[in-house]
Amino acid sequence: MKLPYIIIVDDDLQVLRAIQRDIRNEYREEYKIAATESAAEALELIKELKLKNETIALFISDQKMPEMEGIVFLEKANEIFPDAKKILLTAYSDIEAAIKAINKVKLDYYLLKPWHPPEEKLFPVVNDLLDDWHALYKPDHEAIRIIGFQWSPKSHVVKEFLSGNLIPYIWMDIESDPEAEKYLASTDVTKSDLPLIILKDGTYMNDPSLPDIAARIGLQQKATKEMYDVLIIGAGPAGLAASVYGSCEGLKTILIEMKSPGGQAGNSARIENYLGFPTGLSGGELTRRAVTQTLRFGTEVLTPQQVKSITLKDGYKVTEMMDGTVIHSKAIVIATGAAYARLDIPGLENFTGAGVYYGSASVEAHACKDEVIYIAGGGNSACQAAMYLSKFAKEVNIVIRRDKLSQTAANYLVENITNTPNIKIIVNSDVISCAGSAVLENITLKNTKTQEETTVTAKALFIYIGTKPGTGWLNDVILKNDKGFIITGSELMKEKSFHTFWKLDREPYLPETSVPGIFASGDVRFGALAGISSAVGEGALAIRFVRKYLQEM
Ligand SMILES: Cc1cc2nc3c(=O)[nH]c(=O)nc-3n(C[C@H](O)[C@H](O)[C@H](O)COP(=O)(O)OP(=O)(O)OC[C@H]3O[C@@H](n4cnc5c(N)ncnc54)[C@H](O)[C@@H]3O)c2cc1C
């Protein structure tokens, strides 16, 4: 089996030897380690490794090198191995340069010299980055293969499901990859039955349902206990945080997710405002860490399982799933967040998954290589997606209703977008129609000031026009406001009907809904501050009150 590489570059021979020695001592069993004093020489080696089909997991480069600055080296190396992790070695005096590099080369870490003792300052960082890298990398022979048509909605659903559940796969387009034909020929599946999923053990499934795939790849879908202390609905940041705090505090905790863990945050190409991650991290990385953490504490995570309804029986809560199974619990935390608002233009739904995507930038980015694509919406998530897609597409056009992006997006994103030459902003405009045969081919834009309509070729349209609360499934047992957000705590007491539904002597707890023992946290709660940190905080807070409620029972 080929081992992945760690590449180290430092012009100071003494430092190079020291870091090479530490890295070799710790990682030589699982990685090949190559070290050089010259950035130019390292780039030659990297190109050679690419030609030989080798993989690189990590670059470690010094910043101050006379021949080429570390940032420049990492930028060039990133073009050849974009998935490899990147550490810049800096002295105190270079910290400013390192911080600038975070945006420029999407640096994963800057490590201050000296790093002794390595057990404290070097290995934990490197271990963390290598774990992240491994989570998304699988050698060819170990990965699941999906064979299908690039612009097929069914293939898109499978890709989105696997990537959301952090299962690495190899995508093979039947129309452009000759290898895909060979795999197809080795089965009795025809092109009309695609997508074909080939598992690691060589067995295959054609056009499977998501629960079928989940069962075959070992995701848990059924509860194992008769009764749980707390059942959490939705595995976005709020639900994941609630589950970590719940099981960490010894509660029997179950977490139900209808798609894949991560929620909206799982779609984020780069989260830059989460405390403690100065270089940012992707939604996938944050989710992987949170899921690992909650499983370690003993939470049962069921995915994909969609909650259909909640009823009350003898003071206990009965949660029914779409597949008819029921789970009993003493308390519930609803953390169903929000889902992308749909763009309401005729015919658009026909192309969902076939050129039109809600979120999914990271799943479909490779399909946009060298294409002209459009993004509808000008909020932070639209801008993050534009930045990510600009690395693949020839041209990314952001279509916004207002006349400036700065009215809807954070400053740092506006700045990044302005400095990215292949991103254009189309102001005062709406997408009003779309057309294509089997897949999206063009869209029509209307300038809302001049009323002028323009039809443009579009390989893909990514839609980020806001969200609406994930409460469509909730019956009237739980009080919502006119927009569908769940009302909690003191806000409930402002309702005229408060005394008709609230019979306890105490007031509702801060995150408690109109039903005692059912709590809401994150974006789904009326009055919550949208955002990952707030959702995480709210998830943790809900558990504090779940405990109080359990003591009262
Ligand atoms: C593309 C994008 C980028 C973003 N980037 C940032 C950022 O950089 N920084 C930041 O602070 N915020 C960011 N946000 C906002 C942030 O992600 C949200 O505020 C946050 O995810 C809300 O968390 P939540 O847990 O409340 O809900 P969500 O993240 O919406 O999660 C809800 C979960 O519940 C599940 N669910 C819904 N209904 C059911 C049901 N009936 N049964 C089972 N499961 C169900 C959903 O599938 C989903 O996984 C971004 C949002 C998007 C869309």
Side-chain angles (χ1 to χ4, degrees):
M1 193 187 76
K2 280 183 178 178
L3 296 180
Y5 274 80
I6 296 177
I7 308 281
I8 310 169
V9 192
D10 198 319
D11 66 308
D12 181 331
L13 195 56
Q14 218 180 342
V15 178
L16 182 72
R17 284 208 180 119
I19 193 151
Q20 185 185 11
R21 183 198 56 227
D22 286 343
I23 292 286
R24 189 164 276 163
N25 285 347
E26 189 68 12
Y27 300 102
R28 71 173 155 226
E29 303 283 314
E30 288 164 77
Y31 296 87
K32 285 186 218 164
I33 292 137
T36 162
E37 286 169 271
S38 149
E41 198 177 291
L43 283 174
E44 284 311 308
L45 172 68
I46 292 166
K47 286 180 198 156
E48 211 176 288
L49 293 177
K50 184 79 185 176
L51 289 174
K52 288 186 182 160
N53 240 345
E54 300 279 355
T55 49
I56 298 180
L58 176 67
F59 294 111
I60 303 176
S61 170
D62 190 37
Q63 163 62 359
K64 277 213 171 125
M65 299 187 288
E67 176 194 24
M68 187 186 296
E69 278 194 335
I71 299 171
V72 179
F73 164 72
L74 289 175
E75 204 174 0
K76 290 181 193 276
N78 189 54
E79 283 168 17
I80 309 171
F81 282 94
D83 298 328
K85 298 288 167 187
K86 297 172 283 289
I87 294 180
L88 193 67
L89 279 177
T90 55
Y92 269 112
S93 53
D94 304 331
I95 288 182
E96 208 177 316
I99 288 175
K100 280 193 188 138
I102 291 172
N103 280 338
K104 200 160 179 223
V105 298
K106 294 282 170 268
L107 192 66
D108 294 291
Y109 202 85
Y110 64 85
L111 184 72
L112 288 180
K113 294 183 276 188
W115 54 87
H116 288 285
E119 291 74 16
E120 261 175 46
K121 293 189 179 153
L122 178 64
F123 301 151
V125 171
V126 173
N127 288 342
D128 223 25
L129 293 180
L130 292 176
D131 281 353
D132 278 345
W133 182 81
H134 269 291
L136 291 177
Y137 168 78
K138 277 275 174 288
D140 278 10
H141 62 278
E142 277 186 34
I144 294 174
R145 287 183 158 70
I146 311 172
I147 297 168
F149 292 97
Q150 175 59 56
W151 303 101
S152 138
K154 282 182 181 172
S155 300
H156 172 68
V157 169
V158 176
K159 283 190 275 180
E160 197 173 46
F161 177 70
L162 288 180
S163 73
N165 279 289
L166 310 169
I167 310 286
Y169 61 80
I170 296 173
W171 162 246
M172 303 178 93
D173 181 357
I174 194 72
E175 287 178 314
S176 62
D177 186 340
E179 284 291 306
E181 283 280 4
K182 287 189 202 156
Y183 277 100
L184 188 64
S186 68
T187 68
D188 57 3
V189 176
T190 63
K191 281 191 181 171
S192 58
D193 294 327
L194 293 177
L196 167 70
I197 319 292
I198 303 181
L199 299 161
K200 284 184 245 177
D201 60 6
T203 56
Y204 61 88
M205 298 183 273
N206 64 291
D207 194 8
S209 69
L210 297 187
D212 283 347
I213 302 178
R216 293 288 293 275
I217 59 178
L219 298 178
Q220 185 181 348
Q221 285 173 286
K222 299 276 178 238
T224 62
K225 297 186 178 63
E226 290 292 314
M227 172 72 70
Y228 292 84
D229 293 320
V230 59
L231 176 145
I232 299 157
I233 311 172
L240 283 164
S243 72
V244 167
Y245 280 79
S247 44
C248 166
E249 292 188 18
L251 303 181
K252 282 184 200 145
T253 306
I254 186 160
L255 174 63
I256 321 275
E257 169 54 50
M258 69 177 184
K259 287 201 266 178
S260 37
Q264 297 167 69
N267 278 312
S268 176
R270 193 114 195 138
I271 300 162
E272 310 216 30
N273 60 351
Y274 194 57
L275 188 72
F277 291 87
T279 57
L281 82 172
S282 72
E285 280 169 12
L286 182 65
T287 305
R288 187 182 63 73
R289 284 158 193 256
V291 171
T292 312
Q293 200 172 8
T294 203
L295 290 172
R296 186 165 73 81
F297 283 126
T299 306
E300 287 185 33
V301 182
L302 307 193
T303 168
Q305 270 293 14
Q306 183 169 359
V307 172
K308 185 174 150 197
S309 66
I310 300 172
T311 46
L312 307 173
K313 194 171 173 237
D314 306 330
Y316 294 104
K317 279 87 192 162
V318 183
T319 304
E320 190 184 353
M321 311 295 136
M322 283 293 185
D323 68 0
T325 52
V326 291
I327 306 176
H328 295 83
S329 64
K330 296 176 188 166
I332 290 180
V333 177
I334 302 174
T336 49
Y340 291 109
R342 301 267 139 179
L343 181 61
D344 190 17
I345 58 173
L348 193 76
E349 283 305 305
N350 299 337
F351 299 116
T352 305
V356 172
Y357 303 102
Y358 290 90
S360 307
S362 50
V363 178
E364 295 302 340
H366 286 277
C368 297
K369 195 158 171 40
D370 302 328
E371 302 284 359
V372 176
I373 61 162
Y374 286 77
I375 293 180
N380 289 345
S381 44
C383 292
Q384 281 181 356
M387 286 303 297
Y388 185 72
L389 290 164
S390 68
K391 289 192 258 170
F392 302 84
K394 181 163 81 184
E395 185 181 299
V396 179
N397 297 280
I398 306 179
V399 183
I400 57 169
R401 284 195 166 150
R402 308 220 184 176
D403 50 15
K404 273 196 203 104
L405 197 58
S406 56
Q407 290 169 332
T408 47
N411 281 348
Y412 77 94
L413 284 166
V414 178
E415 205 173 296
N416 286 350
I417 288 203
T418 315
N419 293 330
T420 308
N422 63 336
I423 303 183
K424 294 188 180 147
I425 300 163
I426 303 175
V427 298
N428 301 320
S429 295
D430 272 337
V431 181
I432 56 160
S433 67
C434 57
S437 45
V439 301
L440 181 76
E441 286 165 18
N442 55 58
I443 57 172
T444 301
L445 307 174
K446 181 175 181 178
N447 185 305
T448 49
K449 291 226 159 126
T450 62
Q451 309 303 315
E452 192 190 341
E453 294 185 10
T454 322
T455 299
V456 290
T457 305
K459 195 72 187 173
L461 172 66
F462 291 85
I463 300 169
Y464 294 86
I465 53 164
T467 51
K468 58 181 181 49
T471 51
W473 59 277
L474 247 186
N475 47 25
D476 292 338
V477 179
I478 293 184
L479 211 65
K480 296 176 265 178
N481 75 358
D482 54 349
K483 297 212 166 80
F485 290 94
I486 298 177
I487 306 176
T488 54
S490 56
E491 287 296 325
L492 286 169
M493 292 156 65
K494 295 181 188 162
E495 296 291 317
K496 280 196 197 110
S497 56
F498 179 66
H499 291 290
T500 61
F501 63 77
W502 193 260
K503 305 291 181 198
L504 299 186
D505 292 340
R506 64 164 175 83
E507 294 177 355
Y509 294 132
L510 196 68
E512 201 166 25
T513 68
S514 52
V515 177
I518 301 187
F519 300 82
S521 57
D523 280 12
V524 76
R525 196 179 69 81
F526 168 60
L529 285 177
I532 297 168
S533 309
S534 328
V536 167
E538 291 218 355
L541 186 81
I543 292 302
R544 181 161 165 232
F545 289 102
V546 165
R547 286 183 67 89
K548 278 189 150 203
Y549 172 78
L550 294 179
Q551 281 159 12
E552 287 167 8
M553 272 187 91

